[in-house]
Amino acid sequence: MQFRLGLCAFVGLLLGSSSFAQAPGNGSEKVVALAQAAEAVTVERRDVYNMTPAQGQLLLTWGKMRANLVPSDDPGTPQVNCPKPGAPLSSSSSSGTGSGSGSSSGSGTSISYGLDIEFRLHAVNGFDGFNGERVPYTSASFDRAVEPLVQSNRNILAGKSLEDARRWLIDHTDLDESQTTEITDALWKDRIVNAAPADRRAIYQSMGRSMSFDDQIRFISKLGGAMNSNYDDSRADQAIDANSVAQCDSILAGLASGTPTGVCRDIAICQATILYHMGNKDNVYASSYPVPGNYHVTLMVTDPNNRNRVHKISYNRVSTESNLQGSAALSHDESPDVGTMIRVWRPTERADGTIEGQFAGVLPTEIGLLLEEETSPNPRDVTGGGRFDPFTTRSYSVMHMGGHYGPASGRIFAAKLSNGDVVYGAGVSARWGSAPTGTDGVYNGIDNQGHVGLAYAHRDSTVRFVGADGTVSTEEWNLNTIYLSVHQRVGVPLRVSEHWTLTPYSDFHLEVAAINGGNADESGSWTGDGNIAVNVGGEAVYRTDDAYFRLHGHTQLTLGLTDIRGLLGSTVGVYTNYTELGVEGAYDVTPDVRLNAALLCAFREYGDTCSIGGGTTYTDGPNSHSFNLGVITPVTEAQQPWMPGGSRTSLQIGYEYQRQLNESLLLGAGINYTQSLEDQNFMVNSGLALHWY
C-alpha cells in the first residue's frame, strides 16, 4: 500500500524550523543509522537522497514508508530529494512482519513494534469443504479361493495363453465367469512370481498392453499386499543400518519360496518397477515421510488418462485424489504423514536393467508450510524466502495473532488442514543483518540478512482404517511438533549504472522438526524430520522514478540418495530440487495508478509449471485497491497433481483492499479465486487482517 502523507511538503515546511535543526556530529553516519532503523520500521522502501539526520528523524516520526536513506555528499546541506509519489518499490527480505510498525525514538535510536490479527479461509469446490475431508481408501487382495487352484494346476497351465488358461480353469474347476477378473490377476501373479528374472520384463510389458490403467492399479495393489504378507521384520529391525538393497526379483522370489523379503521402501520401488515396465514412465513416484516413531515409503501414481487424479498406494491400500492439488494432494491417510516434508523418489533404470528409487525432490507438507509461516518475519511470502517452490500454495485455513518488537516477533495460531486435522500452537522468530545503502560506486557492501524461528504445534488427527471386510474404524491421534528453522541470505548488489543493479546471491535454509505422539500406544514415540537446501541465483533490477523491471532466477540444491532402498549404504549426492526463472515489471501511469505484469516458471524433475499475469494498484486517499488476473499451467507432458501449481491449467483472479483507518491502524482484506479451465474444480482463498503499529 502506498501512503500519501505529503512527506516532502511536510519536511519542506519544517526545514527552517529551529526545532528540527541538524544534530551535531557526522551527518552521514547518523543518516546511515537512521536508514537501518527506518528499513526495519516501515511498510514501503524508497530511495531518499540528501537527507540530513534531523530530516531522517522526521521521516521516522511522521512517515509510513520504508526509506532507504542515502547520505548526502555534504551532510550539512539542508536539501531533500524526496521520492516521486508512486515510485516502484524495491524488494527487501528484511521487511519485518509485513505489517506496519510504530517507533519509539530517543537518543537517535528507534525500535519498531506492532500487532497483527489475521484470519484466512481456504476452500475447494465450495465452502462446504471448509471442515476438511479425508480421502477414503480401499484394500485389495487376491481371491483366496482362486489362488490355490492356479497354483495346484500350474503345470497344466504352463505354456497356455492367458485366455486359454483362464478358460481351462473355468471349465475344469468350480470357478465361473463372474470370477474372470480374480482369475486373471491370480494368473498374472503366478507367472511373474515363478518366472526367471530375465523373462519378467516381457511379462510386465505384456500386462501393460492387455490391462487398462485401472486394472494395473488394482493388480499392483494386490501384489503389494502379498509382498507385505512376506515382510522382512529382521530387515526392519536394523532401521538405518539396513544399508543393503532388496531387489524386486528377490522380493518376487521370496513370494515363491516363502522367504520374508523386503520392507516398505523395497516393496514400493518393486511396485514402481513393475508399473514402469508396464509403460508408466513419467507418472510413477515413491514418497517417503515420517510416521509416529518411524518412516514410511508409499507409491504415488498419476492417471495418464486424467492427470488431475493420483492414486496413493501403501502396500495394498489405495486412496484416489482428484480434487486437491499441491501439498494437499500429497497428504496420506493410510500411515498418515506427520512431518514437515515429503521426499519424492523416481524409479530410474540403471545400466544393468534394474530399477532404483532415485531422489527427485522434496516438498513441504501442509503442517510444514504452516510452521514456516508462523516462524517467518515475512509471513506473506508463501515461498518462505525461497525455501519452497514459487508455486507453493497454502491449502489450509488459519487464524493467528501476533506482534513484533524490534527484530523479534511472535504469534499464536490455530489452523485447519485440508484433511480436517486441527493444529494450534505458537511461534517466535528473530531477524538480523543489514543491506548496503551507499550509491557511490559499483560495490557498496554485502547484503547480509537472515532469521531464526522456533515453534511448537499440537495436532489433533482422526485417522481412518479400513479392514479386510471393508469395515471402517477411526482412531484419535495426538501429535506434538517442535520446529526450528534458520535462513541466511548473502548477496552482493552491484550498481552498474544509475538505473541498473545486478545482485548475485545465495540463500541457506535449514529446518529441523521433532514429532512426538500418535495413537494411545504411541504417545511416547518420537521421530524426526528436516531438510537442508541452498539457493544459488541472481537478479537484475532496473529502476527509475516511475518504472521498475526485474529479471531473476535461482536453483535450489539439496541432498538426496541415489537409491532410497539402501539408506546409508546409498551414495549421498547434491540434487536440484527446482529451478526458478522469472521477469516482472511495474509502471506508474499516474501518481495513484500502477500497472504490473509478471512471467514466472519453475522447472523440476517431475514436471514444470509457468504462470503469466498482470494487474493494477489504485490508491485513493487512505484506500488502496489491487486487482490481478493470471493463468497458471503445467508446460510439460510430465505433470502431477501433487506438484506445486498442480496439474490443471487454471485462471486466477484476485482483489486486495487496504484502508488506513488512522495513523496507526491498517485494515486489509482480500480474495483470490482459482478456476480450472479443464473442469469444474475451483479454489477460493480469502482473508481479513488488522495491523496496528
Side-chain angles (χ1 to χ4, degrees):
M1 180 175 180
Q2 301 178 28
F3 295 90
R4 314 291 190 193
L5 299 182
L7 178 63
C8 285
F10 193 81
V11 172
L13 288 173
L14 296 174
L15 283 179
S17 171
S18 59
S19 62
F20 289 91
Q22 182 176 336
N26 187 311
S28 294
E29 292 179 358
K30 290 183 176 292
V31 170
V32 170
L34 289 170
Q36 295 172 348
E39 186 173 352
V41 168
T42 51
V43 174
E44 294 189 8
R45 179 174 177 177
R46 306 285 183 86
D47 290 336
V48 183
Y49 296 93
N50 302 330
M51 183 167 283
T52 66
Q55 297 156 8
Q57 187 64 54
L58 183 65
L59 175 66
L60 290 177
T61 304
W62 296 96
K64 302 300 180 185
M65 295 185 301
R66 180 183 303 117
N68 186 19
L69 306 182
V70 181
S72 168
D73 292 335
D74 179 4
T77 303
Q79 179 183 2
V80 177
N81 180 11
C82 284
K84 181 178 179 179
L89 311 182
S90 64
S91 61
S92 172
S93 61
S94 62
S95 55
T97 63
S99 69
S101 305
S103 63
S104 172
S105 60
S107 303
T109 63
S110 177
I111 298 178
S112 65
Y113 56 87
L115 294 176
D116 307 270
I117 300 175
E118 181 182 7
F119 172 75
R120 192 170 68 245
L121 179 66
H122 175 87
V124 176
N125 296 336
F127 288 96
D128 290 342
F130 168 68
N131 289 325
E133 179 184 3
R134 288 194 174 275
V135 179
Y137 59 90
T138 58
S139 297
S141 59
F142 292 104
D143 193 314
R144 294 182 179 180
V146 174
E147 271 200 294
L149 293 174
V150 171
Q151 294 168 1
S152 62
N153 292 286
R154 181 178 300 133
N155 292 334
I156 298 175
L157 300 175
K160 294 181 182 293
S161 68
L162 191 76
E163 177 59 33
D164 290 342
R166 183 170 57 235
R167 174 51 53 192
W168 189 94
L169 286 168
I170 292 174
D171 292 342
H172 295 84
T173 68
D174 294 334
L175 303 177
D176 57 42
E177 295 285 353
S178 65
Q179 297 169 290
T180 296
T181 298
E182 296 300 331
I183 296 171
T184 301
D185 288 347
L187 285 169
W188 279 126
K189 177 200 171 186
D190 192 71
R191 293 188 176 195
I192 64 174
V193 165
N194 294 283
D199 298 332
R200 286 189 175 122
R201 179 179 295 198
I203 299 176
Y204 302 151
Q205 293 170 345
S206 178
M207 294 170 68
R209 290 190 295 268
S210 63
M211 285 183 169
S212 68
F213 176 75
D214 288 339
D215 290 339
Q216 295 174 25
I217 293 297
R218 183 192 66 246
F219 175 81
I220 209 68
S221 303
K222 291 180 177 180
L223 190 62
M227 294 173 179
N228 187 33
S229 298
N230 205 41
Y231 191 90
D232 187 355
D233 291 308
S234 62
R235 177 170 167 80
D237 292 340
Q238 296 176 42
I240 62 174
D241 293 327
N243 53 22
S244 60
V245 171
Q247 295 289 355
C248 190
D249 285 331
S250 300
I251 296 174
L252 294 172
L255 288 179
S257 65
T259 303
T261 310
V263 294
C264 64
R265 60 186 182 275
D266 308 308
I267 293 170
I269 297 302
C270 185
Q271 291 174 292
T273 297
I274 297 172
L275 286 170
Y276 178 89
H277 289 307
M278 283 182 175
N280 299 280
K281 302 294 186 182
D282 63 2
N283 59 322
V284 179
Y285 292 85
S287 60
S288 63
Y289 51 86
V291 295
N294 210 331
Y295 257 74
H296 191 42
V297 181
T298 60
L299 207 58
M300 301 187 298
V301 190
T302 300
D303 188 340
N305 304 311
N306 179 3
R307 286 287 183 170
N308 300 321
R309 185 170 70 154
V310 60
H311 299 274
K312 293 175 283 189
I313 306 172
S314 176
Y315 302 123
N316 65 322
R317 294 178 286 276
V318 185
S319 65
T320 302
E321 176 59 64
S322 57
N323 290 326
L324 301 178
Q325 303 267 290
S327 293
L330 275 174
S331 179
H332 292 263
D333 287 325
E334 200 289 319
S335 295
D337 53 282
V338 300
T340 58
M341 310 295 292
I342 289 182
R343 284 168 174 77
V344 179
W345 310 85
R346 182 172 188 169
T348 304
E349 189 169 4
R350 300 192 301 194
D352 61 1
T354 59
I355 298 291
E356 61 186 8
Q358 191 172 92
F359 180 83
V362 57
L363 297 165
T365 63
E366 285 188 289
I367 195 169
L369 286 171
L370 173 65
L371 293 176
E372 193 285 328
E373 177 180 4
E374 302 303 337
T375 56
S376 171
N378 185 14
R380 296 198 66 179
D381 182 2
V382 179
T383 72
R387 175 172 298 173
F388 306 132
D389 188 288
F391 292 99
T392 298
T393 301
R394 290 170 176 163
S395 50
Y396 50 84
S397 299
V398 65
M399 180 174 66
H400 46 214
M401 180 174 67
H404 68 276
Y405 185 78
S409 62
R411 297 184 195 92
I412 56 175
F413 61 89
K416 179 166 285 189
L417 307 185
S418 62
N419 63 5
D421 286 4
V422 175
V423 183
Y424 51 89
V428 294
S429 66
R431 54 186 171 83
W432 60 80
S434 61
T437 58
T439 59
D440 293 337
V442 174
Y443 173 77
N444 293 283
I446 300 292
D447 183 359
N448 171 31
Q449 303 177 62
H451 69 265
V452 60
L454 181 67
Y456 163 79
H458 177 83
R459 178 177 179 179
D460 291 325
S461 180
T462 301
V463 181
R464 299 196 309 176
F465 297 94
V466 180
D469 59 354
T471 303
V472 178
S473 60
T474 61
E475 187 175 76
E476 298 300 320
W477 284 20
N478 293 290
L479 298 157
N480 299 288
T481 301
I482 300 173
Y483 175 83
L484 172 70
S485 68
V486 179
H487 172 214
Q488 176 63 53
R489 179 185 179 93
V490 176
V492 185
L494 303 174
R495 190 180 177 92
V496 296
S497 71
E498 179 184 359
H499 299 297
W500 280 99
T501 301
L502 305 180
T503 306
Y505 64 84
S506 178
D507 294 309
F508 172 79
H509 304 284
L510 168 69
E511 65 176 85
V512 179
I515 305 104
N516 168 261
N519 60 29
D521 296 331
E522 297 165 331
S523 59
S525 299
W526 285 90
T527 189
D529 203 0
N531 191 49
I532 297 175
V534 175
N535 294 351
V536 179
E539 65 177 14
V541 176
Y542 174 84
R543 183 181 290 107
T544 65
D545 287 345
D546 55 9
Y548 168 80
F549 173 83
R550 176 174 175 253
L551 176 66
H552 63 96
H554 70 256
T555 293
Q556 183 174 99
L557 304 175
T558 189
L559 300 178
L561 300 176
T562 55
D563 193 346
I564 177 61
R565 297 172 299 175
L567 298 182
L568 296 182
S570 295
T571 302
V572 178
V574 177
Y575 291 84
T576 297
N577 196 25
Y578 68 86
T579 295
E580 169 188 332
L581 293 175
V583 59
E584 60 188 49
Y587 178 71
D588 290 342
V589 181
T590 71
D592 297 318
V593 178
R594 169 182 297 168
L595 301 179
N596 61 79
L599 171 66
L600 180 65
C601 291
F603 305 95
R604 324 175 189 93
E605 177 71 20
Y606 43 82
D608 306 330
T609 306
C610 285
S611 68
I612 186 170
T616 182
T617 298
Y618 170 67
T619 303
D620 177 18
N623 303 305
S624 174
H625 308 268
S626 295
F627 304 88
N628 62 78
L629 178 68
V631 174
I632 180 172
T633 182
V635 292
T636 53
E637 184 177 350
Q639 50 194 260
Q640 326 300 330
W642 44 264
M643 70 184 189
S647 54
R648 291 178 169 91
T649 297
S650 300
L651 177 69
Q652 295 181 323
I653 304 172
Y655 169 71
E656 183 174 353
Y657 170 75
Q658 290 185 331
R659 179 176 177 82
Q660 191 72 35
L661 300 176
N662 56 44
E663 186 179 83
S664 301
L665 199 60
L666 175 67
L667 174 68
I671 185 169
N672 189 77
Y673 177 81
T674 302
Q675 173 65 60
S676 169
L677 299 179
E678 302 173 4
D679 52 31
Q680 300 301 311
N681 195 277
F682 67 91
M683 180 174 63
V684 177
N685 283 291
S686 58
L688 181 67
L690 191 65
H691 307 293
W692 176 82
Y693 51 89

